Amino acid sequence: MRAGFIALTVAYVLSQFFRAFLAVLAPVLQTEIGADANDLAFATGVWLAAFAALQLPVGYALDYLGPRRTSSGLILAAIGAAVFALARGPVTVTVAMALIGAGCAPALMVSLYIFARIYPPTLFASLTGLLMGVSSIGNLAAATPMAWAASVFGWRACLWALAAGTALTTLAIVAFVRDPERAAMPGENNGGFFALLRTPAILLLVPLTLVHYAPVAGIRGLWVGPYLADAFGLDAVGIGNVTLAMGIAMIAGSFAYGPLDRMLGTRKGVLLGGNLALAAALLSLWAWPSAGLGLAVALLCAIGFFGSSYPLMIAYGRSFFPHHLAGRGVTFLNFVAMGGAGLAQIASGWLYGMTGRPAAPAAPYAMVFLFFGILVLAGCGIYAFTRDRLD
Protein backbone atom coordinates (compact mmCIF):
# COMPACT_ATOMS: atom_id res chain seq x y z
CA MET A 1 0.00 0.00 0.00
CA ARG A 2 3.02 2.27 0.37
CA ALA A 3 3.25 2.65 -3.41
CA GLY A 4 -0.48 3.36 -3.44
CA PHE A 5 -0.09 6.18 -0.90
CA ILE A 6 2.75 7.65 -2.97
CA ALA A 7 0.55 7.60 -6.07
CA LEU A 8 -2.33 9.23 -4.17
CA THR A 9 0.01 11.88 -2.79
CA VAL A 10 1.25 12.67 -6.30
CA ALA A 11 -2.39 12.93 -7.41
CA TYR A 12 -3.06 15.52 -4.73
CA VAL A 13 0.16 17.35 -5.62
CA LEU A 14 -1.28 17.67 -9.13
CA SER A 15 -4.62 18.83 -7.71
CA GLN A 16 -2.87 21.56 -5.70
CA PHE A 17 -0.94 22.59 -8.78
CA PHE A 18 -3.95 22.78 -11.08
CA ARG A 19 -5.94 25.00 -8.74
CA ALA A 20 -3.10 27.55 -8.49
CA PHE A 21 -1.15 27.69 -11.77
CA LEU A 22 -3.36 30.25 -13.55
CA ALA A 23 -2.01 33.04 -11.32
CA VAL A 24 1.42 33.00 -12.99
CA LEU A 25 0.02 32.35 -16.48
CA ALA A 26 -2.46 35.24 -16.32
CA PRO A 27 -0.27 37.79 -18.16
CA VAL A 28 0.72 35.44 -21.02
CA LEU A 29 -2.80 34.06 -21.42
CA GLN A 30 -4.19 37.56 -21.76
CA THR A 31 -1.57 38.43 -24.36
CA GLU A 32 -1.75 35.24 -26.43
CA ILE A 33 -5.39 34.14 -26.28
CA GLY A 34 -7.22 37.18 -24.88
CA ALA A 35 -8.17 35.66 -21.51
CA ASP A 36 -8.37 38.56 -19.05
CA ALA A 37 -8.59 38.43 -15.24
CA ASN A 38 -12.39 38.17 -15.27
CA ASP A 39 -12.24 35.22 -17.72
CA LEU A 40 -9.66 33.45 -15.60
CA ALA A 41 -11.61 34.12 -12.39
CA PHE A 42 -14.61 32.44 -14.01
CA ALA A 43 -12.46 29.52 -15.20
CA THR A 44 -11.00 29.08 -11.71
CA GLY A 45 -14.48 29.22 -10.23
CA VAL A 46 -15.64 26.58 -12.71
CA TRP A 47 -12.69 24.38 -11.67
CA LEU A 48 -13.78 24.63 -8.05
CA ALA A 49 -17.45 24.17 -8.93
CA ALA A 50 -16.75 21.03 -10.97
CA PHE A 51 -14.54 19.75 -8.17
CA ALA A 52 -17.31 20.40 -5.65
CA ALA A 53 -20.15 19.03 -7.80
CA LEU A 54 -18.49 15.62 -7.94
CA GLN A 55 -17.90 15.36 -4.19
CA LEU A 56 -21.28 13.78 -3.50
CA PRO A 57 -20.86 11.09 -6.19
CA VAL A 58 -17.29 10.57 -4.97
CA GLY A 59 -18.60 10.01 -1.45
CA TYR A 60 -21.00 7.31 -2.59
CA ALA A 61 -18.32 5.76 -4.78
CA LEU A 62 -15.88 5.58 -1.86
CA ASP A 63 -18.40 3.81 0.36
CA TYR A 64 -19.70 1.46 -2.34
CA LEU A 65 -16.93 1.05 -4.95
CA GLY A 66 -13.81 1.66 -2.85
CA PRO A 67 -10.89 4.08 -3.21
CA ARG A 68 -9.08 2.42 -6.12
CA ARG A 69 -11.87 2.64 -8.67
CA THR A 70 -12.99 6.03 -7.40
CA SER A 71 -9.55 7.59 -7.77
CA SER A 72 -9.20 6.44 -11.38
CA GLY A 73 -11.36 9.45 -12.31
CA LEU A 74 -8.10 11.44 -12.26
CA ILE A 75 -7.84 10.59 -15.97
CA LEU A 76 -10.31 13.44 -16.64
CA ALA A 77 -7.66 15.87 -15.39
CA ALA A 78 -5.19 14.51 -17.93
CA ILE A 79 -7.76 15.06 -20.69
CA GLY A 80 -8.43 18.57 -19.39
CA ALA A 81 -4.74 19.46 -19.42
CA ALA A 82 -4.53 18.32 -23.05
CA VAL A 83 -7.56 20.46 -23.94
CA PHE A 84 -5.92 23.44 -22.19
CA ALA A 85 -2.77 22.94 -24.25
CA LEU A 86 -4.89 23.38 -27.40
CA ALA A 87 -6.75 26.48 -26.14
CA ARG A 88 -7.27 29.39 -28.52
CA GLY A 89 -9.57 31.43 -26.31
CA PRO A 90 -11.16 31.82 -22.85
CA VAL A 91 -14.01 29.37 -23.55
CA THR A 92 -11.62 26.49 -24.18
CA VAL A 93 -9.70 27.38 -21.01
CA THR A 94 -12.95 27.20 -19.04
CA VAL A 95 -13.88 23.80 -20.52
CA ALA A 96 -10.39 22.52 -19.77
CA MET A 97 -10.53 23.76 -16.18
CA ALA A 98 -13.93 22.07 -15.69
CA LEU A 99 -12.45 18.74 -16.84
CA ILE A 100 -9.39 19.19 -14.63
CA GLY A 101 -11.54 20.07 -11.62
CA ALA A 102 -13.74 17.02 -12.16
CA GLY A 103 -10.71 14.76 -12.50
CA CYS A 104 -9.08 16.12 -9.34
CA ALA A 105 -12.28 15.68 -7.28
CA PRO A 106 -11.30 12.29 -5.76
CA ALA A 107 -7.63 13.17 -5.22
CA LEU A 108 -7.81 14.24 -1.58
CA MET A 109 -10.98 12.42 -0.57
CA VAL A 110 -9.56 8.97 -1.31
CA SER A 111 -6.71 9.55 1.13
CA LEU A 112 -9.00 11.06 3.77
CA TYR A 113 -11.32 8.08 3.44
CA ILE A 114 -8.44 5.69 4.03
CA PHE A 115 -7.25 7.77 7.02
CA ALA A 116 -10.76 7.69 8.49
CA ARG A 117 -11.07 3.94 8.00
CA ILE A 118 -7.72 2.57 9.17
CA TYR A 119 -6.32 5.13 11.68
CA PRO A 120 -7.61 6.35 15.10
CA PRO A 121 -9.84 9.46 14.92
CA THR A 122 -7.38 11.44 17.07
CA LEU A 123 -4.79 11.22 14.28
CA PHE A 124 -7.12 12.34 11.50
CA ALA A 125 -6.33 16.07 11.68
CA SER A 126 -2.56 15.50 11.91
CA LEU A 127 -2.54 13.02 9.01
CA THR A 128 -4.66 15.35 6.89
CA GLY A 129 -2.42 18.29 7.70
CA LEU A 130 0.67 16.22 6.88
CA LEU A 131 -0.80 15.14 3.53
CA MET A 132 -1.82 18.67 2.63
CA GLY A 133 1.52 20.06 3.73
CA VAL A 134 3.51 17.57 1.65
CA SER A 135 1.14 17.92 -1.30
CA SER A 136 1.57 21.68 -1.25
CA ILE A 137 4.68 20.99 -3.31
CA GLY A 138 2.18 21.34 -6.14
CA ASN A 139 1.28 24.82 -4.92
CA LEU A 140 4.96 25.76 -4.89
CA ALA A 141 5.52 24.26 -8.34
CA ALA A 142 2.67 26.41 -9.64
CA ALA A 143 4.63 29.53 -8.65
CA THR A 144 8.19 30.39 -9.75
CA PRO A 145 8.94 26.96 -11.31
CA MET A 146 5.84 27.20 -13.54
CA ALA A 147 6.66 30.78 -14.48
CA TRP A 148 10.20 29.73 -15.41
CA ALA A 149 9.08 26.64 -17.35
CA ALA A 150 6.46 28.62 -19.27
CA SER A 151 9.03 31.24 -20.23
CA VAL A 152 11.59 28.62 -21.34
CA PHE A 153 9.43 25.90 -22.93
CA GLY A 154 6.15 27.71 -23.50
CA TRP A 155 2.94 27.24 -21.56
CA ARG A 156 1.48 24.84 -24.12
CA ALA A 157 4.43 22.46 -23.80
CA CYS A 158 4.06 22.62 -20.01
CA LEU A 159 0.39 21.63 -20.27
CA TRP A 160 1.22 18.68 -22.54
CA ALA A 161 3.79 17.50 -19.99
CA LEU A 162 1.21 17.84 -17.22
CA ALA A 163 -1.31 15.83 -19.24
CA ALA A 164 1.19 13.00 -19.65
CA GLY A 165 2.22 13.05 -15.99
CA THR A 166 -1.39 13.01 -14.83
CA ALA A 167 -2.20 10.03 -17.07
CA LEU A 168 0.79 8.10 -15.67
CA THR A 169 -0.28 8.91 -12.11
CA THR A 170 -3.75 7.52 -12.87
CA LEU A 171 -2.21 4.26 -14.06
CA ALA A 172 -0.11 4.05 -10.89
CA ILE A 173 -3.19 4.55 -8.70
CA VAL A 174 -5.09 1.76 -10.46
CA ALA A 175 -2.07 -0.53 -10.13
CA PHE A 176 -1.10 0.09 -6.50
CA VAL A 177 -4.01 1.39 -4.40
CA ARG A 178 -5.75 -1.28 -2.32
CA ASP A 179 -9.25 -0.90 -0.87
CA PRO A 180 -9.72 -1.24 2.92
CA GLU A 181 -12.40 -3.57 4.17
CA ARG A 182 -15.84 -2.04 3.80
CA ALA A 183 -17.60 -0.88 6.95
CA ALA A 184 -20.92 -2.40 7.92
CA MET A 185 -23.85 -0.18 6.97
CA PRO A 186 -26.79 -0.49 9.38
CA GLY A 187 -30.05 -0.23 7.49
CA GLU A 188 -31.72 2.39 9.66
CA ASN A 189 -28.66 4.63 9.75
CA ASN A 190 -27.75 4.37 6.09
CA GLY A 191 -29.59 7.58 5.24
CA GLY A 192 -27.18 8.99 2.71
CA PHE A 193 -26.27 12.66 2.81
CA PHE A 194 -29.47 13.63 4.61
CA ALA A 195 -28.23 11.59 7.57
CA LEU A 196 -25.23 13.89 7.79
CA LEU A 197 -27.41 16.91 8.48
CA ARG A 198 -29.21 15.51 11.52
CA THR A 199 -26.60 16.88 13.93
CA PRO A 200 -27.14 20.58 14.78
CA ALA A 201 -23.38 21.10 15.20
CA ILE A 202 -22.87 20.20 11.54
CA LEU A 203 -25.39 22.86 10.51
CA LEU A 204 -23.53 25.44 12.60
CA LEU A 205 -20.25 24.34 11.03
CA VAL A 206 -21.49 24.59 7.43
CA PRO A 207 -21.26 28.42 7.05
CA LEU A 208 -17.59 28.60 8.07
CA THR A 209 -16.81 25.46 6.07
CA LEU A 210 -18.44 27.18 3.09
CA VAL A 211 -16.22 30.28 3.24
CA HIS A 212 -12.98 29.46 5.09
CA TYR A 213 -11.15 28.13 2.02
CA ALA A 214 -12.54 30.67 -0.45
CA PRO A 215 -9.99 33.48 0.20
CA VAL A 216 -6.86 31.35 -0.12
CA ALA A 217 -8.27 29.46 -3.13
CA GLY A 218 -9.35 32.64 -4.89
CA ILE A 219 -6.37 34.85 -4.12
CA ARG A 220 -3.61 32.25 -4.47
CA GLY A 221 -5.41 30.57 -7.36
CA LEU A 222 -5.73 33.76 -9.41
CA TRP A 223 -6.05 37.23 -7.92
CA VAL A 224 -2.52 37.47 -6.54
CA GLY A 225 -1.15 37.53 -10.11
CA PRO A 226 -3.22 40.36 -11.66
CA TYR A 227 -3.10 42.29 -8.37
CA LEU A 228 0.69 42.30 -8.19
CA ALA A 229 0.98 43.09 -11.90
CA ASP A 230 -1.45 46.02 -11.84
CA ALA A 231 -0.68 47.49 -8.41
CA PHE A 232 3.10 47.01 -8.35
CA GLY A 233 4.12 46.26 -11.95
CA LEU A 234 5.57 42.81 -11.26
CA ASP A 235 6.36 40.50 -14.17
CA ALA A 236 5.68 36.74 -14.34
CA VAL A 237 8.85 35.80 -12.42
CA GLY A 238 8.18 38.42 -9.74
CA ILE A 239 4.63 37.15 -9.37
CA GLY A 240 6.01 33.62 -9.19
CA ASN A 241 8.33 34.58 -6.35
CA VAL A 242 5.51 36.12 -4.32
CA THR A 243 3.17 33.21 -4.94
CA LEU A 244 6.01 30.90 -3.91
CA ALA A 245 6.26 32.75 -0.59
CA MET A 246 2.49 32.54 -0.18
CA GLY A 247 2.62 28.82 -0.96
CA ILE A 248 5.30 28.26 1.69
CA ALA A 249 3.09 30.09 4.20
CA MET A 250 0.22 27.77 3.24
CA ILE A 251 2.40 24.73 3.87
CA ALA A 252 3.42 26.11 7.27
CA GLY A 253 -0.23 26.75 8.07
CA SER A 254 -1.26 23.22 7.11
CA PHE A 255 1.40 21.73 9.38
CA ALA A 256 0.60 24.16 12.21
CA TYR A 257 -3.16 23.65 12.30
CA GLY A 258 -2.93 19.84 12.42
CA PRO A 259 -1.60 19.29 15.96
CA LEU A 260 -2.79 22.55 17.54
CA ASP A 261 -6.13 21.11 18.64
CA ARG A 262 -4.38 18.50 20.79
CA MET A 263 -1.73 20.93 22.01
CA LEU A 264 -4.24 23.58 23.11
CA GLY A 265 -7.08 21.24 24.02
CA THR A 266 -9.60 22.97 21.77
CA ARG A 267 -10.59 22.52 18.16
CA LYS A 268 -13.20 25.26 18.13
CA GLY A 269 -10.82 27.84 19.56
CA VAL A 270 -8.07 27.11 17.03
CA LEU A 271 -10.48 27.30 14.09
CA LEU A 272 -12.19 30.45 15.32
CA GLY A 273 -8.97 32.25 16.17
CA GLY A 274 -7.27 31.28 12.93
CA ASN A 275 -10.15 32.38 10.75
CA LEU A 276 -10.54 35.67 12.61
CA ALA A 277 -6.84 36.28 11.91
CA LEU A 278 -7.53 35.44 8.24
CA ALA A 279 -10.34 38.01 8.16
CA ALA A 280 -8.05 40.60 9.74
CA ALA A 281 -5.39 40.05 7.06
CA LEU A 282 -7.99 40.34 4.28
CA LEU A 283 -9.46 43.53 5.67
CA SER A 284 -5.98 44.99 6.13
CA LEU A 285 -5.23 44.30 2.47
CA TRP A 286 -8.52 46.00 1.60
CA ALA A 287 -7.62 49.05 3.69
CA TRP A 288 -4.05 49.36 2.37
CA PRO A 289 -3.91 47.62 -1.05
CA SER A 290 -1.14 49.81 -2.45
CA ALA A 291 0.73 50.91 0.68
CA GLY A 292 3.85 49.03 -0.41
CA LEU A 293 4.97 45.74 -1.91
CA GLY A 294 6.49 44.55 1.37
CA LEU A 295 3.24 45.03 3.30
CA ALA A 296 1.24 43.39 0.51
CA VAL A 297 3.50 40.34 0.48
CA ALA A 298 3.36 40.04 4.27
CA LEU A 299 -0.44 40.18 4.26
CA LEU A 300 -0.68 37.71 1.37
CA CYS A 301 1.52 35.31 3.34
CA ALA A 302 -0.68 35.81 6.41
CA ILE A 303 -3.71 34.94 4.27
CA GLY A 304 -1.89 31.80 3.10
CA PHE A 305 -0.97 30.77 6.65
CA PHE A 306 -4.24 31.46 8.44
CA GLY A 307 -6.31 30.38 5.45
CA SER A 308 -4.96 26.81 5.68
CA SER A 309 -7.36 25.58 8.37
CA TYR A 310 -8.98 23.06 6.02
CA PRO A 311 -7.43 19.93 7.66
CA LEU A 312 -8.73 20.89 11.09
CA MET A 313 -12.10 21.96 9.70
CA ILE A 314 -12.59 18.56 8.06
CA ALA A 315 -11.39 16.74 11.18
CA TYR A 316 -13.87 18.66 13.33
CA GLY A 317 -16.78 17.77 11.08
CA ARG A 318 -15.57 14.17 10.65
CA SER A 319 -15.80 13.66 14.42
CA PHE A 320 -19.60 13.87 14.22
CA PHE A 321 -20.06 11.22 11.53
CA PRO A 322 -20.58 7.49 12.23
CA HIS A 323 -17.97 5.12 10.84
CA HIS A 324 -20.08 3.80 7.99
CA LEU A 325 -20.65 7.36 6.71
CA ALA A 326 -16.97 8.29 6.70
CA GLY A 327 -16.71 8.51 2.91
CA ARG A 328 -19.85 10.55 2.46
CA GLY A 329 -19.05 12.66 5.53
CA VAL A 330 -15.67 13.94 4.40
CA THR A 331 -16.82 14.39 0.81
CA PHE A 332 -19.87 16.33 1.99
CA LEU A 333 -17.59 18.72 3.90
CA ASN A 334 -15.29 18.98 0.91
CA PHE A 335 -18.31 19.66 -1.31
CA VAL A 336 -19.30 22.53 0.96
CA ALA A 337 -15.76 23.96 1.14
CA MET A 338 -14.96 23.69 -2.56
CA GLY A 339 -18.44 24.68 -3.67
CA GLY A 340 -18.27 27.78 -1.51
CA ALA A 341 -14.82 28.61 -2.89
CA GLY A 342 -16.05 28.18 -6.46
CA LEU A 343 -19.13 30.36 -5.99
CA ALA A 344 -17.09 33.00 -4.16
CA GLN A 345 -14.49 33.04 -6.94
CA ILE A 346 -17.13 33.54 -9.64
CA ALA A 347 -18.74 36.28 -7.54
CA SER A 348 -15.36 37.95 -7.01
CA GLY A 349 -14.85 38.04 -10.79
CA TRP A 350 -18.20 39.76 -11.25
CA LEU A 351 -17.33 42.21 -8.47
CA TYR A 352 -13.98 42.93 -10.13
CA GLY A 353 -15.70 43.53 -13.49
CA MET A 354 -18.24 45.90 -11.93
CA THR A 355 -15.53 48.28 -10.67
CA GLY A 356 -14.60 49.32 -14.22
CA ARG A 357 -11.21 51.01 -14.58
CA PRO A 358 -10.70 53.37 -11.62
CA ALA A 359 -7.76 55.74 -11.29
CA ALA A 360 -6.15 53.61 -8.57
CA PRO A 361 -5.01 50.30 -10.13
CA ALA A 362 -5.42 48.44 -6.84
CA ALA A 363 -9.02 49.57 -6.23
CA PRO A 364 -10.79 46.62 -7.92
CA TYR A 365 -8.65 44.18 -5.97
CA ALA A 366 -9.37 46.00 -2.70
CA MET A 367 -13.06 45.27 -3.26
CA VAL A 368 -12.23 41.59 -3.83
CA PHE A 369 -10.28 41.48 -0.54
CA LEU A 370 -13.17 43.17 1.27
CA PHE A 371 -15.63 40.66 -0.18
CA PHE A 372 -13.58 37.69 1.05
CA GLY A 373 -13.04 39.30 4.46
CA ILE A 374 -16.77 39.84 5.03
CA LEU A 375 -17.50 36.24 4.05
CA VAL A 376 -15.04 34.87 6.62
CA LEU A 377 -16.33 37.17 9.38
CA ALA A 378 -19.90 36.05 8.71
CA GLY A 379 -18.86 32.38 8.87
CA CYS A 380 -17.03 32.95 12.15
CA GLY A 381 -20.08 34.65 13.65
CA ILE A 382 -22.25 31.56 13.16
CA TYR A 383 -19.48 29.07 13.98
CA ALA A 384 -19.00 30.74 17.39
CA PHE A 385 -22.23 29.06 18.56
CA THR A 386 -21.05 25.51 17.85
CA ARG A 387 -19.60 23.27 20.54
CA ASP A 388 -16.08 21.98 20.92
CA ARG A 389 -15.24 18.38 20.13
CA LEU A 390 -11.84 16.68 20.07
CA ASP A 391 -12.63 12.99 19.47
Side-chain angles (χ1 to χ4, degrees):
M1 189 62 179
R2 182 177 299 176
F5 271 122
I6 292 173
L8 290 172
T9 301
V10 172
Y12 194 52
V13 168
L14 289 167
S15 177
Q16 293 273 34
F17 177 92
F18 281 128
R19 74 184 65 179
F21 78 113
L22 282 186
V24 297
L25 291 186
V28 68
L29 291 177
Q30 180 164 5
T31 300
E32 293 194 12
I33 63 174
D36 62 19
N38 198 5
D39 295 323
L40 297 181
F42 183 75
T44 305
V46 167
W47 189 101
L48 291 163
F51 187 102
L54 282 182
Q55 291 308 301
L56 304 188
V58 164
Y60 275 106
L62 284 171
D63 284 331
Y64 287 100
L65 299 179
R68 185 173 64 86
R69 283 184 285 179
T70 302
S71 58
S72 63
L74 182 65
I75 194 64
L76 287 175
I79 296 171
V83 172
F84 200 124
L86 298 171
R88 291 290 185 270
V91 174
T92 309
V93 170
T94 300
V95 172
M97 292 297 283
L99 287 168
I100 295 171
C104 290
L108 175 62
M109 292 300 99
V110 169
S111 294
L112 297 193
Y113 175 83
I114 294 173
F115 292 161
R117 290 297 318 283
I118 66 177
Y119 292 103
T122 53
L123 292 178
F124 187 84
S126 295
L127 289 171
T128 304
L130 178 62
L131 173 66
M132 295 192 71
V134 172
S135 298
S136 290
I137 293 171
N139 199 319
L140 301 183
T144 304
M146 181 60 184
W148 173 83
S151 65
V152 174
F153 304 107
W155 63 272
R156 294 186 190 276
C158 292
L159 265 298
W160 282 118
L162 287 165
T166 305
L168 290 174
T169 302
T170 306
L171 293 175
I173 286 172
V174 173
F176 298 118
V177 171
R178 296 291 177 265
D179 295 335
E181 183 179 350
R182 286 181 60 181
M185 296 188 178
E188 64 176 355
N189 293 324
N190 190 19
F193 284 98
F194 291 107
L196 305 176
L197 300 178
R198 294 174 184 163
T199 304
I202 294 297
L203 297 179
L204 292 173
L205 183 63
V206 163
L208 187 57
T209 306
L210 188 70
V211 301
H212 80 286
Y213 182 64
V216 73
I219 294 171
R220 173 61 189 90
L222 173 66
W223 291 117
V224 62
Y227 165 60
L228 294 171
D230 291 347
F232 302 105
L234 268 63
D235 59 12
V237 175
I239 293 170
N241 290 334
V242 176
T243 55
L244 181 65
M246 190 176 180
I248 292 172
M250 291 169 65
I251 293 175
S254 293
F255 281 118
Y257 271 111
L260 274 179
D261 59 339
R262 298 197 308 277
M263 292 172 60
L264 300 180
T266 172
R267 207 166 261 174
K268 174 182 175 178
V270 173
L271 284 169
L272 187 60
N275 280 280
L276 286 174
L278 169 62
L282 288 162
L283 295 177
S284 296
L285 207 49
W286 160 66
W288 302 289
S290 54
L293 180 59
L295 177 62
V297 172
L299 290 173
L300 288 168
C301 288
I303 291 168
F305 182 88
F306 292 111
S308 298
S309 62
Y310 175 91
L312 197 57
M313 187 73 68
I314 299 299
Y316 181 89
R318 165 66 185 93
S319 67
F320 291 99
F321 302 138
H323 205 51
H324 69 280
L325 290 178
R328 276 164 285 178
V330 295
T331 52
F332 168 75
L333 294 172
N334 201 39
F335 163 75
V336 173
M338 296 301 173
L343 292 173
Q345 184 70 329
I346 293 172
S348 71
W350 290 338
L351 181 63
Y352 171 87
M354 289 170 58
T355 58
R357 296 190 176 276
Y365 305 102
M367 297 306 298
V368 171
F369 301 140
L370 175 62
F371 169 69
F372 283 128
I374 291 174
L375 286 182
V376 175
L377 279 179
C380 286
I382 298 173
Y383 173 75
F385 292 96
T386 192
R387 63 187 176 90
D388 216 343
R389 183 165 177 149
L390 286 172
D391 56 337

